[in-house]
Amino acid sequence: MANPNSALSFLSFARTALNLQSAAIFLLIFVVVLKLFRRPKNLPPGPWQWPFLGNFVALTRSKKHAHEVLAEWARRYGSVMSVGLRPAGAPAIVVSDIGIAKELLSRQWEHHVERSWSPLTPKIADVRGSFVWDKGERAKEQRRFGLGAFRKMGVGKKSLEHRINEEARYLVESIEAEKNRPFDPNLPIHKAVSNIICSISFGSRFDYDDPKFKNLLDSMRVVFENEGISSWANTFSFLYHTPFLAKLRECVRFVKEYIETVVQDHQDSYDENDFRDIIDIHIADIKGKEQIGSRVATGPAPTITHQHIWRGIMDLFAAGTDTTSNTLLWLISFVLKYPEVQEKIQQEISEVVGSNRQPSCEDRPSMPYTNAVINEVQRLRPVGIMALPYETTEEFQLKGYTIPKGRKVFINLWAMMNDPKVWDRPEEFNPGRFLSEDGKTVIQHETFIPFSTGRRSCLGEGLAKTELFLFATNLFQRFTFMLPPGASKPELKGILHLTFVPEPFKVRAIKR
């Protein structure tokens, strides 16, 4: 017969063990909940955040775009606020004030903030050599090189203007071939704009019917769609190597292999006395640094090597294609909704340029209304609604708040260019806000920053401005854009990818 004392002892032991287990579980839950709910002392204010999910649910369930919701929250909680943008991530710092943004992104603050990556970026490709995503000394080296290379390739000079106007003639011919029929302007405009950066980067342009060219553009479109702040691929980036993102991986592979092949061809045929494009300039730059390093035993090795060239060229191809193309598409969308604006642009073109020659950059000072329209399109529908993300490298004080180390920092450019405290009725399309009272001068607004601000602002700003003016004036000189019969005016809501793009639309281009 069993000893009753032993049974009681076992029951007592089991009860104690269960109590300890329960206590351990309770303690674990308490620690997790405490960690999730506890806000670091003196963190910027912001909307209430769910445990683990942060503000992700509120952002995704809203009928508005993320940048619009963040702008509304900024008006409620302040121009420096703390927001949980992604599940399981620490709250990010969102800045919606131009003065604070300029201060934060100035060179004096570079030891506080550095470029960060979206979760998907390092999975897509190595960031070494990237003009956009690299950081530290390599980023500084790449930016210095990029600015110098653009100058050598004619950015800001007549030679580039001639190249853009030549491409504009190809674009006009492509549109003329539609013979007044409704067509989607997306692809021809992307091809034309892309050919400018291709000629600068690759040394040659593509024919519009080249299937490889179309594949390159389609592949980069897929990449941009998946790298957006609200994309599920970015939110759940751990799915990158699963079948769910097989198409994205294939597109990245195609672009990478194509550019690597072009770079290798350039290395095989390199001539130090004949620089064809930025790839050749990059090869020469690296070779020069290697030679210096070999002569000076203690000299530092170049941080960018030949194997990194393709990454920077991919950035130039992507950014140099997408942003200007979509700005032109937004411009056409706006004149479809406001046809009187197109009439005024065409009147100015007729008075300044006429019809017997192509527009020139020398015409820009004499065409304030056209420039004002382009500015207003960029203000109201900037393709870059956020500056690319940053990350804090140390704890510091900003406007009385404590910003912890390792926090993502987002600069909401859209909020700044649509701030009712700065812009009168910012939701209205009004080119006149960029014109002087007599309409003869373009007003420069401090808060108009479509190319971002600070030391990591858009590398190709000068190129983009030249392209926008010349492509736009060439198009409106030769065509009047009209809605197809029965089509309603564009709603101008936009689609948020890595950039902010207009919804697909069709148009008729009537030859003037």
Side-chain angles (χ1 to χ4, degrees), residues 103-276:
E103 177 184 355
L104 192 62
L105 302 182
S106 67
R107 294 195 179 278
Q108 288 78 8
W109 284 66
E110 63 182 337
H111 61 285
H112 289 322
V113 292
E114 179 58 280
R115 170 65 76 232
S116 184
W117 306 316
S118 65
L120 198 59
T121 300
K123 296 181 184 297
I124 286 178
D126 190 346
V127 300
R128 287 177 294 177
S130 170
F131 287 105
V132 174
W133 298 109
D134 211 344
K135 57 175 113 177
E137 290 303 315
R138 281 200 311 263
K140 293 179 183 179
E141 180 183 339
Q142 275 293 76
R143 186 169 182 85
R144 286 193 296 268
F145 166 78
L147 292 171
F150 271 141
R151 286 193 294 269
K152 290 177 182 177
M153 291 307 301
V155 174
K157 301 177 182 178
K158 274 285 186 182
S159 58
L160 181 64
E161 178 182 329
H162 293 324
R163 189 177 300 181
I164 296 172
N165 267 338
E166 180 183 11
E167 192 62 45
R169 289 195 293 271
Y170 287 114
L171 176 59
V172 167
E173 290 174 3
S174 174
I175 294 176
E176 283 180 343
E178 300 294 340
K179 298 185 182 302
N180 297 342
R181 294 173 302 216
F183 72 101
D184 184 350
N186 188 307
L187 194 54
I189 286 178
H190 269 79
K191 288 177 177 178
V193 173
S194 183
N195 263 335
I196 302 303
I197 197 65
C198 285
S199 64
I200 292 173
S201 302
F202 301 151
S204 61
R205 66 179 296 278
F206 289 92
D207 291 332
Y208 285 8
D209 58 357
D210 188 326
K212 186 171 288 184
F213 190 26
K214 184 177 184 302
N215 202 351
L216 281 169
L217 294 176
D218 287 344
S219 295
M220 287 311 309
R221 175 182 54 77
V222 171
V223 174
F224 272 70
E225 286 175 355
N226 283 280
E227 278 212 281
I229 186 174
S230 301
S231 76
W232 69 269
N234 223 343
T235 303
F236 307 105
S237 59
F238 57 87
L239 297 175
Y240 182 69
H241 294 288
T242 70
F244 293 105
L245 294 176
K247 183 179 181 181
L248 173 60
R249 293 198 308 276
E250 175 59 25
C251 289
V252 171
R253 182 199 62 79
F254 176 76
V255 174
K256 181 177 185 290
E257 289 183 357
Y258 176 80
I259 296 176
E260 285 180 329
T261 299
V262 174
V263 171
Q264 186 59 56
D265 289 344
H266 276 61
Q267 290 174 335
D268 294 340
S269 59
Y270 173 74
D271 181 353
E272 63 181 10
N273 298 312
D274 181 21
F275 290 170
R276 297 161 289 188

Side-chain angles (χ1 to χ4, degrees), residues 344-362:
K344 291 181 181 180
I345 293 175
Q346 290 174 330
Q347 179 181 349
E348 192 170 64
I349 291 173
S350 297
E351 294 173 353
V352 177
V353 182
S355 59
N356 296 323
R357 67 173 177 86
Q358 284 185 280
S360 163
C361 287
E362 294 178 356

